[in-house]
Amino acid sequence: MFTKILIANRGEIACRVIKTAKKMGIATVAVYSEADRDAMQVEMADEAVPIGPAPSRESYLVADKIIDAAKKTGAQAIHPGYGFLSENEDFARRVEAEGLVFIGPKHHSIAAMGDKIASKKLAGEASVNTIPGYNDVIESPEQAVRIAREIGYPVMIKASAGGGGKGLRVAYGDKEASDGFSSCRNEAKAAFGDDRVFIEKFVESPRHIEIQVLGDAHGNVIYLNERECSIQRRHQKVIEEAPSPFISEATRKAMGEQAVALAKAVNYQSAGTVEFVVGKDQSFYFLEMNTRLQVEHPVTECITGLDLVELMIRVAAGEKLPLKQADVQRNGWAIECRINAEDPQRGFLPSTGRLSRYLPPPTPQGGGIRVDTGVYEGGEIPIYYDSMIAKLIVHGNDRAQAIRLMREALNGFVIRGISSNIGFQSALLGHPKFVAGDFNTGFIAEHFSQGFRMADVPHDDPLFLVAMAAFVRRKARERSAGISGQLAGHGVKNLPNLVVVVLKPDGRHEHHAARIEGFDAAATKADVVIGERRFAIQSPTQLGEVLVTGICNGKSFTAQIERGSAKHPLGIRVTHNGLQIEALVLLPRAAELLKLMPHKAPPDLSKFLLSPMPGLLVDVVVQPGQKVMAGEKLAVIEAMKMENILVATQDGEVREVLARRGESLTVDQPILAFA
């Protein structure tokens, strides 16, 4: 067994590998860019080696620097994690040539499966179901359109060396095929250094289901059940679960056997994933094979009881797999939510900056909650890498319990300083069709076609949030009333009647009369009466704590409550099950006077194109005096490895270009001014 390994990655996966290595008694070496000097993997590893500037092409993607770091520190093996060089055939070969061990498949397996065109041909030869398509290199937009017509729309345009949603477009017509071809090539060139793309038939209403495989150097290959990965946005997975709520035992077995056959065809030795697209009738087709550890591997670990990182290390060290296919278990249900640094209410645009608060959900006594992360409170989310903050994983006895556990865990996950997709995740988990298991890869596009708004969040009882605002405000007044030295006759009075004024996004106010009854001396319990509803609330949580736990009408809850809001400095923000309200809690007379206050309209910014995110201005495609039509491309911003195209929302004329190509933009920075 190895005594020291180097992890050629960053963030949560680097930390994840370090944890298992430490458990196995193996020393670890981390590498880090200038942006990651204070990152968690640097703190966790036994040694850490700097490898260059922040951009990954100058650090994490430079094989020479990583191999040199391994040699200098005496590491015997390199674990690549996922992303970066994990599926790079040349890197794996170089590692082996330098006398080191690559903790992953052999370079010839990566070559066979890493190239999406070659892998489809090989899959067909191995009698694996494949999707109709054109698997040779496409040279021009015109050729792409011609091929798409022959296959029949809709088609999927994909980068041959792609992955993680990069270099992928769905086209329903000629223009989309032409534009998608160009965008895919550009993204693929930037992300992978390989601009080849191919086209295949797009299966409508598809499920994305993948099979985890594991092979060793002794010819043994097994599959570790499936993962359901159909909840995706822009072809990137958002929620993953194991097992799938859709496929039958017969389909599971057939998919698993085909995945094993494909792995054996390339002499696969490590953990890998064979991805399938599955139709309504459970017909399935080979999509691609990821020759690395997957982001969503924890859900497989939960239901099988296996540590995939440990098995990868043992296989790389030459050991045989410790189990056979008949030994593979499937216990309970696991769900993973990817917690990303993005703003769902601004079109899921990237959000970067400092984590002013970071508090993962507490682990219950019986376990069942796991957080894989590479960040910490006070740390920075840089613009150079992907947007993942953490992976939140739960494991329940069945799917219903796993969903309940996940929603409660999301309630207890505190992230401040940047935006996150926690509310959106809760909305997905609460959607009736998700709960019923009735979804496909188009679920988000179908049910959130206009983007995500807080009004989209399903909540069993929205008045609960109103009651919590009243409870916390009364608790604060109770404390204020006890302060000594108040002027006689002018002190704070604890009157039973309050009005909760919910501040709506459109500027409207929604008034709720609330009566507080039975408040105890310790200010830990009271009944809040709103109309005909009574909320018996008990909570020992102290004022000032973001997480508020307790019992309401006999049921336990976890909510997040803060004083001061974006809408009003005296407001109270309450968040529960993804729904968030901002409210003022006033005495009745103050609420009456508030109704008389004029509403200040927001400033008119329609004459400007504002940067919706921090990022690099890659291109401005218009000039002063140029007339533009609604939907026309104006500028391109690159952030967190994704290319974002800004388009005109209405017809107009460009008056002035206010930002230069290559400039680093801040949120809401003007790029163009219109006449």
Side-chain angles (χ1 to χ4, degrees):
M1 181 49 65
F2 311 117
T3 58
K4 183 185 288 189
I5 66 173
L6 179 143
I7 299 93
N9 218 295
R10 65 176 300 279
E12 68 87 13
I13 189 56
C15 297
R16 163 74 185 89
V17 175
I18 290 170
K19 286 179 182 177
T20 287
K22 285 183 179 293
K23 180 183 72 174
M24 298 174 69
I26 301 172
T28 56
V29 180
V31 293
Y32 63 92
S33 69
E34 290 175 4
D36 283 337
R37 185 176 301 277
D38 299 318
M40 186 180 287
Q41 78 259 20
V42 176
E43 178 69 24
M44 288 180 64
D46 297 294
E47 300 174 64
V49 180
I51 54 170
S56 55
R57 63 181 177 273
E58 300 177 47
S59 50
Y60 296 107
L61 287 172
V62 183
D64 288 341
K65 292 182 178 180
I66 291 169
I67 292 172
D68 185 57
K71 286 185 164 183
K72 284 182 177 177
T73 57
Q76 300 145 312
I78 296 177
H79 195 302
Y82 53 73
F84 295 136
L85 295 171
S86 62
E87 294 181 282
N88 187 298
E89 172 201 354
D90 291 334
F91 178 62
R93 183 188 289 109
R94 282 279 313 280
V95 170
E96 295 167 11
E98 295 289 345
L100 302 169
V101 176
F102 184 75
I103 303 177
K106 298 300 180 184
H107 65 84
H108 56 78
S109 299
I110 296 175
M113 289 289 100
D115 186 305
K116 303 302 183 291
I117 294 174
S119 68
K120 288 186 179 301
K121 292 179 178 178
L122 197 150
E125 293 169 4
S127 299
V128 177
N129 303 344
T130 57
I131 302 174
Y134 186 86
N135 294 328
D136 288 319
V137 178
I138 301 167
E139 301 292 347
S140 67
E142 293 76 20
Q143 185 186 7
V145 170
R146 187 168 62 253
I147 291 167
R149 286 177 177 174
E150 291 172 358
I151 295 171
Y153 290 110
V155 298
M156 187 177 288
I157 306 169
K158 300 180 67 175
S160 180
K166 308 298 188 301
L168 190 154
R169 296 290 189 279
V170 175
Y172 290 86
D174 291 353
K175 186 177 187 304
E176 289 178 339
S178 178
D179 293 347
F181 172 81
S182 300
S183 293
C184 283
R185 288 191 71 174
N186 293 339
E187 280 189 9
K189 182 70 174 176
F192 313 109
D194 184 342
D195 66 357
R196 294 174 301 154
V197 302
F198 66 99
I199 296 178
E200 65 187 15
K201 179 69 176 176
F202 178 61
V203 179
E204 297 191 77
S205 299
R207 309 280 290 222
H208 184 124
I209 298 175
E210 60 191 30
I211 301 291
Q212 176 73 60
V213 296
L214 194 61
D216 63 22
H218 306 277
N220 302 305
V221 182
I222 60 175
Y223 68 93
L224 306 179
N225 302 311
E226 83 284 359
R227 293 186 289 256
E228 171 72 72
C229 304
S230 298
I231 302 297
Q232 303 177 4
R233 191 188 67 79
R234 290 181 63 180
H235 310 294
Q236 290 195 323
K237 300 162 188 172
V238 178
I239 296 176
E240 302 100 348
E241 57 184 307
S244 167
F246 176 64
I247 65 173
S248 66
E249 194 63 46
T251 303
R252 176 178 292 113
K253 185 173 184 292
M255 291 174 70
E257 289 174 349
Q258 286 200 15
V260 167
L262 183 61
K264 285 185 174 181
V266 293
N267 190 26
Y268 198 84
Q269 303 173 28
S270 191
T273 299
V274 181
E275 301 193 346
F276 293 93
V277 59
V278 184
K280 289 181 180 179
D281 58 355
Q282 301 205 19
S283 59
F284 58 91
Y285 305 96
F286 171 71
L287 202 57
E288 62 184 4
M289 183 175 187
N290 289 305
T291 53
R292 55 170 168 82
L293 193 67
Q294 291 280 91
V295 175
E296 57 273 18
H297 75 272
V299 294
T300 295
E301 293 183 324
C302 286
I303 67 167
T304 61
L306 301 172
D307 183 330
L308 291 182
V309 173
E310 179 178 348
L311 291 170
M312 290 180 75
I313 293 172
R314 293 194 179 281
V315 165
E319 295 184 14
K320 286 185 177 182
L321 290 179
L323 73 166
K324 299 186 181 302
Q325 190 63 57
D327 301 320
V328 177
Q329 300 179 22
R330 193 171 77 245
N331 295 325
W333 210 286
I335 299 176
E336 174 181 290
C337 284
R338 300 190 185 194
I339 308 302
N340 295 331
E342 59 190 17
D343 190 344
Q345 296 192 77
R346 292 175 64 123
F348 297 91
L349 294 173
S351 179
T352 61
R354 189 169 299 280
L355 283 165
S356 58
R357 293 293 302 273
Y358 177 78
L359 183 63
T363 302
Q365 276 190 335
I369 293 179
R370 166 179 165 180
V371 179
D372 284 10
T373 188
V375 305
Y376 55 88
E377 188 168 288
E380 195 83 15
I381 304 295
I383 66 172
Y384 306 102
Y385 314 114
D386 65 54
S387 62
M388 188 183 296
I389 302 171
K391 299 184 311 197
L392 178 59
I393 307 105
V394 300
H395 185 207
N397 295 324
D398 54 31
R399 190 168 187 267
Q401 185 188 43
I403 292 174
R404 288 195 300 271
L405 276 172
M406 181 60 82
R407 296 201 80 189
E408 194 65 12
L410 290 168
N411 283 337
F413 208 142
V414 178
I415 294 176
R416 298 293 184 270
I418 61 169
S419 298
S420 79
N421 64 338
I422 287 177
F424 179 60
Q425 292 279 18
S426 194
L428 293 173
L429 289 158
H431 196 286
K433 287 203 169 184
F434 178 84
V435 173
D438 180 16
F439 55 81
N440 55 55
T441 56
F443 180 83
I444 291 177
E446 177 185 351
H447 297 287
F448 300 90
S449 58
Q450 303 302 313
F452 174 71
R453 301 164 299 174
M454 200 56 69
D456 295 329
V457 177
H459 197 286
D460 294 337
D461 191 357
L463 273 184
F464 166 72
L465 282 76
V466 175
M468 285 303 303
F471 177 82
V472 170
R473 183 68 182 113
R474 174 58 191 271
K475 194 168 187 172
R477 290 184 66 85
E478 194 78 26
R479 183 180 65 178
S480 299
I483 297 175
S484 60
Q486 297 188 56
L487 189 63
H490 296 277
V492 175
K493 297 179 181 178
N494 279 321
L495 301 176
N497 295 321
L498 296 170
V499 177
V500 181
V501 182
V502 178
L503 309 176
K504 294 290 187 177
D506 59 3
R508 293 183 298 110
H509 292 168
E510 190 178 86
H511 289 238
H512 298 272
R515 182 173 181 83
I516 314 297
E517 298 178 356
F519 217 98
D520 67 332
T524 59
K525 64 180 181 179
D527 286 4
V528 180
V529 181
I530 302 174
E532 298 181 356
R533 299 288 308 284
R534 179 178 294 270
F535 298 87
I537 300 172
Q538 299 179 50
S539 175
T541 305
Q542 298 296 310
L543 288 169
E545 295 182 24
V546 175
L547 276 187
V548 178
T549 60
I551 298 173
C552 179
N553 294 339
K555 294 182 179 180
S556 61
F557 69 85
T558 300
Q560 296 185 29
I561 302 180
E562 296 168 280
R563 294 292 303 275
S565 71
K567 297 184 182 300
H568 200 287
L570 299 179
I572 296 176
R573 183 188 295 115
V574 184
T575 308
H576 180 258
N577 279 356
L579 182 63
Q580 184 179 96
I581 66 167
E582 297 190 35
L584 292 172
V585 185
L586 307 172
L587 295 174
R589 179 57 178 159
E592 289 178 12
L593 295 174
L594 181 65
K595 292 180 179 180
L596 304 177
M597 296 294 290
H599 172 62
K600 182 180 178 181
D604 180 14
L605 299 175
S606 61
K607 294 294 184 182
F608 296 91
L609 174 68
L610 305 180
S611 175
M613 74 198 86
L616 181 71
L617 183 59
V618 176
D619 198 10
V620 177
V621 300
V622 293
Q623 299 176 348
Q626 181 176 336
K627 288 182 168 38
V628 295
M629 308 262 310
E632 189 172 340
K633 181 178 176 181
L634 301 176
V636 180
I637 298 176
E638 185 181 293
M640 288 183 167
K641 302 196 296 184
M642 292 294 287
E643 189 178 84
N644 301 274
I645 298 175
L646 307 185
V647 300
T649 58
Q650 58 188 14
D651 296 351
E653 181 180 325
V654 178
R655 178 169 59 84
E656 186 179 0
V657 177
L658 302 172
R660 302 184 306 276
R661 292 181 181 87
E663 186 174 341
S664 292
L665 303 175
T666 58
V667 176
D668 290 336
Q669 179 176 337
I671 301 171
L672 301 173
F674 299 100

